[in-house]
Amino acid sequence: LSLGNLMVIAPSKLHPLWMTPISSLLFLMSAITVGFPMIIFESLLASRSLKLRPEMDVLKPLARFVPVFLGLYLVLKVGDLLVRGSWGYLFDGSTESFAWLAEVGLGVLMPMVMLLTVRVRRSPSLLFVSATLVVLGVVLNRVNVFLIGYRPPYADGPYFPSITEISVTIGLIAMLILIYRACVIYLPVISHPAKEEAA
């Protein structure tokens, strides 16, 4: 939400596909939309990593709500483009147009269609793929707003993170994964039904 507010005060620096007065609302809606997919993504990834049975009885009901949130987000995002009259930029063949279409096509439309089918919601692998697409779609949105679409008027070239910034980001993610694994292995965070049945 705060990142969306930050972009509102920089109207001359952001491409029209993402420059909108409701930027903070779109950021908030995307954060809400990615909530259940992130839970599904983390749960299935943890189950596979720790060799546990996926908790499909919990994940299947969650997956039913994801298309609803994706649909609301899509209507809000496309409606904003139409109201502002910026939809023409989608067909100018620029890098920004391809980035926007990839963000919405791969991160919103494709997982929404997938999760509308019962077969996908019942399959751990397909459910993981659809949840991953939603997560990557939100990540791509942030990349589009702060890298692809961000153009300061007096900059020598587009901004791209330095090796140090990329290394710090990867290091923080790796540290979080390590802490998480340590917690679930050595603390009673995730139950192990196979061990309980064997006992």
Side-chain angles (χ1 to χ4, degrees), residues 136-168:
L136 291 179
V138 173
V139 172
L140 184 55
N141 171 257
R142 302 313 190 249
V143 170
N144 284 343
V145 170
F146 293 101
L147 295 180
I148 305 297
Y150 187 69
R151 289 290 186 275
Y154 304 111
D156 295 330
Y159 166 76
F160 189 81
S162 66
I163 296 298
T164 303
E165 291 173 314
I166 295 174
S167 300
V168 169

